[in-house]
Amino acid sequence: GQNIDQPTEMTATEGAIVQINCTYQTSGFNGLFWYQQHAGEAPTFLSYNVLDGLEEKGRFSSFLSRSKGYSYLLLKELQMKDSASYLCAVFLSGGYQKVTFGTGTKLQVIP
Amino acid sequence: DGGITQSPKYLFRKEGQNVTLSCEQNLNHDAMYWYRQDPGQGLRLIYYSQIVNDFQKGDIAEGYSVSREKKESFPLTVTSAQKNPTAFYLCASRKSTGKEGYTFGSGTRLTVV
């Protein structure tokens, strides 16, 4: 089976930095996605990591360690609009392209 | 602008009825997916399709059916066999290659009354 773990909820202060962790145990691995989802809306793509290391994109960075089955999403200079759920998703290897999602981390940014 | 369109946004169904959720994309993406989202459970894969006239069951396919007669369209039918259909349904598409993630539609919220 596939198992992806993330913290259920986190709270952070506006202007601060927050790190959202994701650990996974899956049968096969092609890459790892991070998505942002505001309440009642569709998820939007943030990042995709295939190789180990850190990828930076503006205020958002994503890290992957394949040997540890571990990733994190780093959000800097937090803004109130960053309050949302953040979904970790693994792109599984195999003949058919299949992505399995974690349950998401609900981030609340407070003033 | 290219995108993926789901309709309707809200749908009410009586018990025992079948309903069909529409999903259309003009992104020229090969792969299309249907997910169901329940509170606290994340996204669960219902069906997916990599090419026209081919689709595969996901993790929770029971009570659902799909078709892929055109590259642009991937409708999902929620049948009366689905015991707990009330949920938020998301359609997504993706290129077959490259690092691009999914593009999601805006979702359909289905409620059984």
Side-chain angles (χ1 to χ4, degrees):
Chain A
Q2 322 298 345
N3 192 41
I4 300 176
D5 287 319
Q6 306 177 234
T8 304
E9 294 182 346
M10 297 181 72
T11 301
T13 306
E14 190 176 14
I17 299 173
V18 70
Q19 178 174 313
I20 301 174
N21 295 325
C22 171
T23 58
Y24 62 89
Q25 291 176 306
T26 57
S27 53
F29 179 87
N30 265 343
L32 189 141
F33 293 103
W34 282 97
Y35 286 86
Q36 180 190 61
Q37 186 179 26
H38 287 98
E41 298 181 10
T44 54
F45 172 76
L46 291 177
S47 67
Y48 180 46
N49 292 66
V50 177
L51 302 176
D52 289 352
L54 185 69
E55 292 207 8
E56 299 184 71
K57 193 183 295 185
R59 294 189 299 115
F60 291 29
S61 303
S62 56
F63 171 84
L64 175 66
S65 169
R66 290 171 297 170
S67 61
K68 296 182 179 178
Y70 168 69
S71 174
Y72 67 73
L73 180 70
L74 194 70
L75 290 74
K76 303 176 187 174
E77 302 170 13
L78 279 173
Q79 303 174 8
M80 299 300 291
K81 67 178 182 179
D82 297 330
S83 293
S85 288
Y86 291 85
L87 311 179
C88 173
V90 171
F91 185 23
L92 303 175
S93 57
Y96 285 94
Q97 299 174 16
K98 190 173 167 183
V99 174
T100 190
F101 283 79
T103 55
T105 298
K106 187 174 181 181
L107 173 66
Q108 183 181 15
V109 180
I110 58 175
Chain B
D1 285 337
I4 182 166
T5 302
Q6 286 186 244
S7 62
K9 191 169 180 67
Y10 298 96
L11 185 59
F12 296 89
R13 188 195 92 172
K14 292 182 180 179
E15 286 194 27
Q17 283 184 337
N18 293 353
V19 288
T20 297
L21 282 58
S22 170
C23 179
E24 303 276 334
Q25 55 99 359
N26 60 2
L27 299 164
N28 199 33
H29 285 174
D30 297 303
M32 296 187 74
Y33 306 79
W34 273 106
Y35 284 89
R36 169 183 172 140
Q37 189 173 35
D38 296 281
Q41 291 200 46
L43 276 68
R44 293 184 289 167
L45 182 64
I46 304 173
Y47 267 97
Y48 59 110
S49 168
Q50 271 194 296
I51 56 173
V52 174
N53 293 323
D54 183 53
F55 48 82
Q56 300 297 316
K57 291 182 179 180
D59 302 317
I60 54 165
E62 186 175 350
Y64 299 97
S65 66
V66 294
S67 62
R68 188 85 187 276
E69 297 176 2
K70 300 186 299 181
K71 188 176 185 178
E72 301 80 15
S73 179
F74 192 42
L76 173 74
T77 296
V78 184
T79 75
S80 57
Q82 170 50 235
K83 299 304 178 190
N84 185 23
T86 295
F88 187 48
Y89 290 86
L90 285 161
C91 179
S93 68
R94 183 177 184 270
K95 273 188 181 178
S96 293
T97 58
K99 290 184 65 174
E100 293 180 22
Y102 286 163
T103 299
F104 281 92
S106 56
T108 293
R109 191 165 297 278
L110 173 65
T111 303
V112 173
V113 297

